[in-house]
Amino acid sequence: MKNLSFRFNIQILRTISQVLFFALSLLLVGSNRTVGTVLFALVFFIGVFFCGWVCPFGSLQEWIGKLGDMLKIKKRRLPQKFQRIFQITRYVIFALFIYKIFYAPLRARATFGEILTEGFSNVTVAALVILMVILVLSLFIHRPFCNYFCEKGASYGLFSVLRIFSLKKDASKCVNCRKCDKNCPMNVEISRTNFVRHPNCINCFQCMGNCSRKAISYGIFKLSKSNTTSQTKIYKCACAGRRSFAMPPSGTS
Ligand code: SF4
Ligand code: SF4
């Protein structure tokens, strides 16, 4: 019950933050960039809060995804073996961006920012079509642009692997139900690790809130050999869990 209220509170807080920054990006041209710069520095300490709490385009994809849930549209996920390959695309785009050979219309986040601040006057048809495709895809896939195309998320994510604070999983409490994996919009396999410092993690805390065993917490990262959980450990943990714990009912997605 306590965990449920924590989940409720942190997600309410996150939604308020998303709405606030969405409104700010409408009202104050350039504010998002300033906030983004500050949050970039924070990446080294607390991880990628920008994507989960601030970015208006990330929020928009999430809200469209929630609309899809309300319309009972089932979210699709790539199998992990394909996910590992396709999640590289955003780093390729980041590299192309650095070398300035980027195809501008692909930057749907920038297109959306332009529309918010300057209207449609400078937006090309190609950019608009790509933006619409991404938004429609958000009904079927969690944050499609964040997962596979965003060069900003890629740059934040790369540096966030050095973060001091990260999500931690208590393997002794974990029963390998994989509700954390199933609720992660960025397709991180939390169940396979004891510390989440994955570059895709956007600090949305969906994994933590949906863990009925309270096995996931947020705190200082400590380097140890046990930070990566082997399949054997997961298996043992699952067996122990089956003996002592009835599987929880399926949660929200
Ligand atoms: S990945 Fe990109 S679009 Fe998604 S939330 Fe982060 S900055 Fe925004
Ligand atoms: S690992 Fe947890 S906090 Fe990070 S993106 Fe996935 S659900 Fe959100």
Side-chain angles (χ1 to χ4, degrees):
M1 194 67 189
K2 205 173 159 193
N3 201 36
L4 196 71
S5 83
F6 171 77
R7 181 201 316 178
F8 184 69
N9 290 341
I10 198 145
Q11 293 308 329
I12 292 261
L13 212 62
R14 200 166 71 84
T15 306
I16 291 171
S17 164
Q18 288 177 310
V19 171
L20 197 73
F21 281 105
F22 197 98
L24 264 181
S25 66
L26 282 171
L27 296 173
L28 303 171
V29 178
S31 68
N32 197 27
R33 180 169 297 181
T34 313
V35 173
T37 309
V38 174
L39 284 175
F40 181 68
L42 289 178
V43 159
F44 295 97
F45 299 98
I46 55 175
V48 189
F49 266 86
F50 178 80
C51 299
W53 293 67
V54 175
C55 175
F57 194 52
S59 304
L60 183 65
Q61 291 169 81
E62 196 172 310
W63 295 335
I64 292 176
K66 283 190 176 139
L67 176 69
D69 294 343
M70 283 159 64
L71 296 173
K72 308 261 185 264
I73 298 174
K74 193 171 160 21
K75 291 278 179 307
R76 307 280 163 192
R77 283 178 196 269
L78 284 179
Q80 273 299 328
K81 60 180 175 186
F82 294 119
Q83 169 68 20
R84 283 187 205 113
I85 297 168
F86 281 105
Q87 70 190 10
I88 294 169
T89 48
R90 64 181 198 158
Y91 299 100
V92 174
I93 289 170
F94 177 49
L96 294 178
F97 179 70
I98 286 175
Y99 288 103
K100 299 198 188 307
I101 46 176
F102 197 80
Y103 183 48
L106 275 180
R107 296 181 61 213
R109 185 181 56 80
T111 306
F112 180 66
E114 264 174 48
I115 292 172
L116 282 186
T117 53
E118 296 161 24
F120 289 86
S121 50
N122 292 325
V123 179
T124 63
V125 174
L128 200 56
V129 169
I130 288 173
L131 175 64
M132 294 315 292
V133 169
I134 294 284
L135 294 182
V136 172
L137 269 180
S138 304
L139 286 168
F140 305 93
I141 302 171
H142 287 292
R143 289 182 174 243
F145 186 77
C146 307
N147 265 292
Y148 307 111
F149 300 108
C150 184
E151 87 290 346
K152 185 162 193 159
S155 63
Y156 278 19
L158 276 181
F159 291 108
S160 80
V161 297
L162 302 170
R163 79 189 79 157
I164 294 171
F165 283 83
S166 75
L167 287 157
K168 304 188 273 189
K169 194 188 74 196
D170 183 342
S172 67
K173 290 183 182 169
C174 174
V175 289
N176 201 31
C177 65
R178 302 195 64 207
K179 279 175 83 175
C180 48
D181 297 353
K182 288 172 198 154
N183 281 285
C184 177
M186 295 301 287
N187 298 298
V188 178
E189 279 190 295
I190 304 111
S191 62
R192 292 172 68 91
T193 181
N194 286 346
F195 273 88
V196 178
R197 297 176 104 204
H198 195 287
N200 278 21
C201 177
I202 56 169
N203 282 347
C204 68
F205 298 118
Q206 292 283 3
C207 51
M208 191 157 84
N210 280 288
C211 176
S212 352
R213 297 288 289 173
K214 299 180 194 166
I216 301 173
S217 58
Y218 183 70
I220 291 181
F221 173 77
K222 289 192 194 102
L223 198 61
S224 82
K225 279 185 186 167
S226 63
N227 283 351
T228 302
T229 312
S230 69
Q231 283 297 325
T232 317
K233 274 174 92 178
I234 289 175
Y235 178 74
K236 279 184 185 167
C237 182
C239 293
R242 270 190 221 115
R243 283 196 296 273
S244 63
F245 170 68
M247 283 293 181
S250 57
T252 56
S253 58

